[in-house]
Amino acid sequence: MAACSRRVLFLSVILSFCVINGEKAAVNKNRDDVVLERFKRKSFGKENGQPGVQSQVAFADGGAVPLHDAVKPLMGARPQQGLPKMDMAMNNKQQQNQMLGAPAGKGKLPKPFKKAFKLAETTECGGDVLSHCSRKSMKNNFAILDCLQRDPKVAEEISSACQHFIWEYKKNLTKDDRFEYAADEVCMKELKEIPECGKLEKGRGQIIPCLVENIENITDKNCRTYLNKMARIVFSDYRMVYGFIDECTDDINTHKCGRLTFDVNEAVHSQGKTLHCLAKKISQLKPTCKKQLLRVAELQADDYHLDRPLYYACRLDRERFCESTVAGQGRVYECLFKHKFDAEMSDECRDKLTVRQRLIADDVKVEKSFYSACRLDIKTNGCFSAGNSNNDDDARRASVLLCLESVHKRDLVITPECLAEMMDLRKTLMADYKINPEIVASCHEEITDMCDGGLTRGGKTIHCLMEHARNQHKKKSPQLSPPCLRALESLVKESDVGSDFRMDRNLQKSCQDVVNVVCKDVPAGDAEVINCLMDHLDSEHMTDICEEKLMQIQYFIVRDFRLDATLYKHCHQDAYKLCHAPKTWIEQDSTNVELGPMVLPCLFRHMKDHDTDANLQVTRACKHEILRVMRHRARRVELDTDIESKCVTDLGRFCSDDQSENYEKGEELACLQDNYDDLEDDCQDIVGNITENQDTYLELDNLVMKSCMPMIKKFCKEEIEEDADAEDVMDCLIENKHDPSMDEKCAAGVEHHQIISLQDFRFSHKFKEACKENVMMYCKGRKTKFDVVSCLSEHVRNDTVIEKKHRISKVCRKQLRFEVLQRGEKIDLDPELKRACREELEGVCSGVEHGNAKAIECLKNHPRKLGPACSKLVFVREKDDVFIGDFKLRQSCAGMIKTYCKTVVQANGDVMHCLQKHKDETEFDRKCRTFVIKRQVIQNQDYRLNPSLKKSCKMDINKFCGELVQTEKNDVELEGKVINCLKKQFAVNRLSRDCNAEIRDVIKDAALNYLEDPVLAKTCEAVIESFCSDEHNRAMQSQNKVVITEDGKGAVMECLKKNIKTIKNSPNGLACAKEVARTIQEAHIDVGVDPLLHTACQQDLSKHCGHINPGNGRQMNCLLIELEDRPDGMSTDCRNLLSKRKDLWEFSVRVAPPEGFGEIYEQISISPAKNYILSIMIVVLGMIFLVGITCGRVTKRAKGDKRK
């Protein structure tokens, strides 16, 4: 207690009595001499009085004392310990405080006063004190110092002599032995614990600055109080700071931050400007000077009064914003920082605050509130050595902050106070670019040229730079330098905006209203807020300003998986195990620290390619996050690092604002996909991989997902319930694309997906997986999907036609069927056909919609109007429809297929043949029946399009139509010639049973629709327009030039039959008449192939001919016999129509008489009166025989008589 009391009393006397009150001091003369000598030696010469040392000491009265007289035997001896008695101090008024002396005039050295003085009474400063200071401060030298130094304006107005006098006065105070002995007494314990200060020699002015620099390590209250008082003096001039002048001389000169040699004209306050100047140039300082500057800043952190330039600049702002804030512990700094961007904050104060904040980037200790709150956490987690492999202290803000954030992400404990300070610091980083030395240094030109020189408030400059960064792919956008980009990346990492969007006040301000609506259920500050905003990027609630700021941040977040908090949380273990990523969030000494941008692609590859290997597969939670991030990247092209790096040129060529009028914002990827064939190789590879991924993971296709979610829920419930793959969901959407309730935007998105998938076989993942082996074996070298489909289709057709075992696997054939059906849906999905039929589409099918197979159907319905190339390819597509899959048939008859042909579909059978058998049933859908008849018209063009007929008539075709078959070309339509050949054999009853049944059905259907007889339709085209125009018009649908399949229940054929005589006699009508006669003769063989006659005579057949089996003209002969023998017993309709048919049959023979003996025989054999005809022929032949015999005998006798 006695020691403590002695120290406190000693401190009180020294500071209050000797200095603060400015009273007379009784000090031992010998000690004064010693101090004076030390002062002399320090200031003007060497310790040992070497030659060259000034030999005299100047005094206040202008006189001088020889040096050897000033040196006393007590020099260097420690004065008696303890406190001088009070009465001695009070009575020794004649002694002068030599260390408080001042120069008598300009240019003269200080002289000891012979009595105590007051600054207000000195010649040098008296007038200035009276002019600027209050009367209350006249007796208090420290009060006068504060008065003259507090206001920089006042400091500039005081005389040079007074400025010089004050400088010497303060300098001498720091060298006064009494102050150092006071420090020795009050801070005895601390001097022992801090050897670097305790070993310093007294009288050199270094002990007090040394203690002040170590004030953080001093816990004694009395010592701290004393040092805080002295710090006001130490930090008023950089030359008084211990160690500073030795380390920073070169930097001060290099950067022109002040003069080291004393000049009387140099104001004392300009020295504070020197510190401020060096602080601005901190990134350019030598390490030793930088260290000294940061130590000064650390020491100033406790009390803003110690940072004199800042104190002067912010005095009024402190009163305005922080009047109630008590100085100490950095509280005033913290308060001023919070109000830095207030409109009322002065620019000068804001500038000084910015410089100080910039120092924090190199030393967190400069930020008193942060360091105090986090000191224990920093020490516990070794954050001062986290950035150095040699374990040297690294107090940089970035290193310490990243270390603490890494600790927090590992769910380790950090004190709440430290977390709060970390949050405040992170917010500050995003609010002002000027406090980030790396941004200032690396982005100076960009800020000047692109961001109006720096919009300092609210983080506008940082977001300006980010906006230019994310638009670098645009053709006319200015480019940021690589160092500037790296500086921005470091800033985003340091502020860790990805974990809490509130760290970016600009982003929060722009998006808070959106968050309140679409993300109201997400806890404030949760990392999911940014994810939620990205999920609602195309929402009606999203604002332009929010989207802009969000995308600026996302541009950097997607480039390092660690910056996406939820992705890192769920995937960092997989990233470490599979992709060699750092084990912790920040691992500065890791050789893989730069792997951040490569981790996500690595994880995605493992998710995609190793779904069966548990050791190489990512976790389910990680997979979910990977798809989320990939989905976000797909929304905007600038978020994909690969596209940005390899497709910049193509984006400028095809997708810039002046080149991509058809694409909305966010559809740049679609633009690249649409120009896939014209892309550069590297860009084409990237776009190809993305497109392939979109087919594998439907959620990555932004165009589809943006508009199809409701449609998926509506049409694809089964797939969703079964957790089907993305390909199955897309197949579902394709199948329902033309449903009346399908959303137009969704249909457009699905169609875009289909068109893009044609560019490359790989783009259809399901098709690729099903057919890759067959493609490698039979279609090697084919790249585009439509080439691969055409190749595989040809193999399937050929194997089916020759009834050979299929070379293409069953699973591939199944997927191929789906691809062929897709191709048939729209001609745009068949580039080859579209290219071959370009003229026809612009001519005969102009105005016809391309979708819903309408354009393709138009081409099929006008075979005679197609050019050779188009006709050839249309025929190939028709064969694919028959043998693989017919989109329009499946679409038009979906219900009937399920009702009548379900088992056929399951067995991959002939669906068309199945529908043909049921089309005349009462409950059969009329629309489907119409379409089936349309397909029959096409099938009758070429027997190869009718698999059932081809199979049944194979032997008959070779036997009777061999010449036609031999001349046929594989890809040229025969226009019904082979089927017409078989019809002729049907008419003479020469076909096999199975073939006869097939041709019978063909003839029967043609009787109702002349278009199903292609030879007749072609031959009689002009005749029909002349004689049967009304019936013909009913058989045509004027809209879109699409032919209706039924001509009014055979109205055209009846018209031709009725006018056959006139037609025969008309110009160019004989050929048509022969074709009509052929159809009449075909009907003669079987009443069943004449639907009108069969319907009219249905009752008569049952009544008169029910016992006779149909076929071979038997029922027709029965009806004719009844007509001859008992006409009154027949129904009127049957009798009248049969009489007309009989006349037509007789006339048809004259129109088309037999062309050989064989045809004559065939005609007789099928004639109802063949017995009569045969009898007549026998009689005729008998008569000829008898006449021959008779005539022969007469001739022979006549010759004999002549010889005789």
Side-chain angles (χ1 to χ4, degrees), residues 17 23-26 85-93:
F17 181 75
E23 296 294 338
K24 302 171 185 177
K85 293 183 179 180
M86 197 65 178
D87 57 345
M88 176 187 291
M90 296 300 293
N91 294 328
N92 199 6
K93 296 182 180 180

Side-chain angles (χ1 to χ4, degrees), residues 906-1023:
Q906 293 173 348
N908 294 323
D910 188 348
V911 176
M912 177 64 184
H913 186 66
C914 170
L915 293 172
Q916 283 176 313
K917 290 195 297 184
H918 296 280
K919 76 177 190 301
D920 294 321
E921 295 185 15
T922 306
E923 297 180 354
F924 200 86
D925 179 68
R926 184 178 181 276
K927 180 181 177 181
C928 178
R929 183 178 184 275
T930 300
F931 190 81
V932 169
I933 294 175
K934 286 182 69 174
R935 279 294 179 263
Q936 288 179 181
V937 172
I938 293 174
Q939 282 187 341
N940 290 338
Q941 298 282 346
D942 197 305
Y943 77 99
R944 290 170 292 186
L945 301 179
N946 190 335
S948 178
L949 184 147
K950 186 174 184 297
K951 181 179 180 180
S952 299
C953 297
K954 183 177 181 180
M955 298 300 296
D956 300 272
I957 291 172
N958 292 331
K959 181 178 180 180
F960 303 112
C961 313
E963 292 183 3
L964 292 174
V965 172
Q966 290 175 2
T967 60
E968 74 179 11
K969 295 182 179 180
N970 209 25
D971 50 6
V972 177
E973 205 172 64
L974 293 176
E975 298 180 335
K977 295 177 183 178
V978 172
I979 293 179
N980 210 40
C981 170
L982 293 174
K983 286 180 180 179
K984 291 180 180 180
Q985 302 306 315
F986 173 84
V988 295
N989 199 25
R990 297 180 65 185
L991 298 177
S992 63
R993 185 180 61 182
D994 292 340
C995 185
N996 188 81
E998 290 289 341
I999 295 299
R1000 181 180 182 275
D1001 289 339
V1002 171
I1003 295 173
K1004 178 182 175 181
D1005 291 333
L1008 292 176
N1009 183 8
Y1010 81 98
L1011 294 172
E1012 292 193 43
D1013 191 332
V1015 176
L1016 181 144
K1018 180 179 180 180
T1019 305
C1020 299
E1021 184 175 9
V1023 173

Side-chain angles (χ1 to χ4, degrees), residues 99-319:
M99 293 312 297
L100 299 182
K106 182 175 180 181
K108 295 184 178 181
L109 295 173
K111 300 177 182 180
F113 285 107
K114 296 184 179 179
K115 61 179 181 177
F117 73 91
K118 299 175 183 176
L119 288 174
E121 298 176 353
T122 61
T123 304
E124 292 80 6
C125 293
D128 294 298
V129 173
L130 289 174
S131 300
H132 300 290
C133 303
S134 64
R135 291 186 176 276
K136 294 181 179 180
S137 63
M138 294 299 179
K139 297 182 180 181
N140 190 325
N141 285 352
F142 266 24
I144 292 174
L145 285 177
D146 186 59
C147 167
L148 296 179
Q149 295 181 141
R150 180 173 63 248
D151 192 334
K153 188 174 182 180
V154 172
E156 292 174 0
E157 292 178 356
I158 63 176
S159 65
S160 298
C162 183
Q163 289 181 3
H164 189 191
F165 187 91
I166 291 173
W167 153 249
E168 293 292 348
Y169 175 74
K170 293 190 297 182
K171 182 176 66 174
N172 292 339
L173 287 179
T174 62
K175 296 184 177 183
D176 192 335
D177 277 359
R178 291 169 297 178
F179 287 93
E180 293 190 344
Y181 284 125
D184 190 24
E185 188 69 22
V186 179
C187 302
M188 181 184 299
K189 177 183 176 183
E190 285 69 18
L191 284 170
K192 292 180 180 179
E193 293 176 351
I194 307 175
E196 67 171 299
C197 299
K199 294 179 179 180
L200 292 173
E201 182 181 354
K202 296 179 177 60
R204 296 179 63 87
Q206 296 179 345
I207 294 178
I208 292 176
C210 179
L211 288 172
V212 171
E213 288 196 10
N214 290 276
I215 197 170
E216 286 291 339
N217 300 321
I218 296 174
T219 57
D220 184 79
K221 184 177 181 181
N222 295 321
C223 183
R224 288 180 68 92
T225 302
Y226 172 70
L227 292 177
N228 283 329
K229 287 289 186 180
M230 294 304 299
R232 300 284 184 91
I233 299 173
V234 172
F235 293 114
S236 65
D237 195 292
Y238 73 91
R239 291 178 293 186
M240 299 179 187
V241 180
Y242 167 63
F244 185 87
I245 194 65
D246 297 329
E247 303 294 352
C248 292
T249 300
D250 294 339
D251 287 299
I252 292 173
N253 288 328
T254 300
H255 301 292
K256 300 179 181 179
C257 290
R259 291 183 293 276
L260 293 180
T261 57
F262 182 76
D263 187 343
V264 71
N265 293 321
E266 183 183 7
V268 65
H269 301 287
S270 68
Q271 302 303 321
K273 294 180 181 178
T274 297
L275 293 172
H276 184 69
C277 171
L278 291 174
K280 281 188 170 183
K281 307 279 187 179
I282 188 169
S283 60
Q284 304 173 35
L285 302 183
K286 293 189 301 184
T288 54
C289 181
K290 181 177 180 180
K291 183 176 181 180
Q292 289 295 330
L293 180 64
L294 292 174
R295 290 179 69 183
V296 172
E298 289 177 23
L299 295 169
Q300 294 171 337
D302 189 63
D303 188 349
Y304 92 112
H305 293 89
L306 304 182
D307 188 338
R308 303 308 288 179
L310 186 146
Y311 168 73
Y312 298 140
C314 298
R315 182 169 54 84
L316 296 179
D317 297 286
R318 190 268 169 100
E319 294 175 0

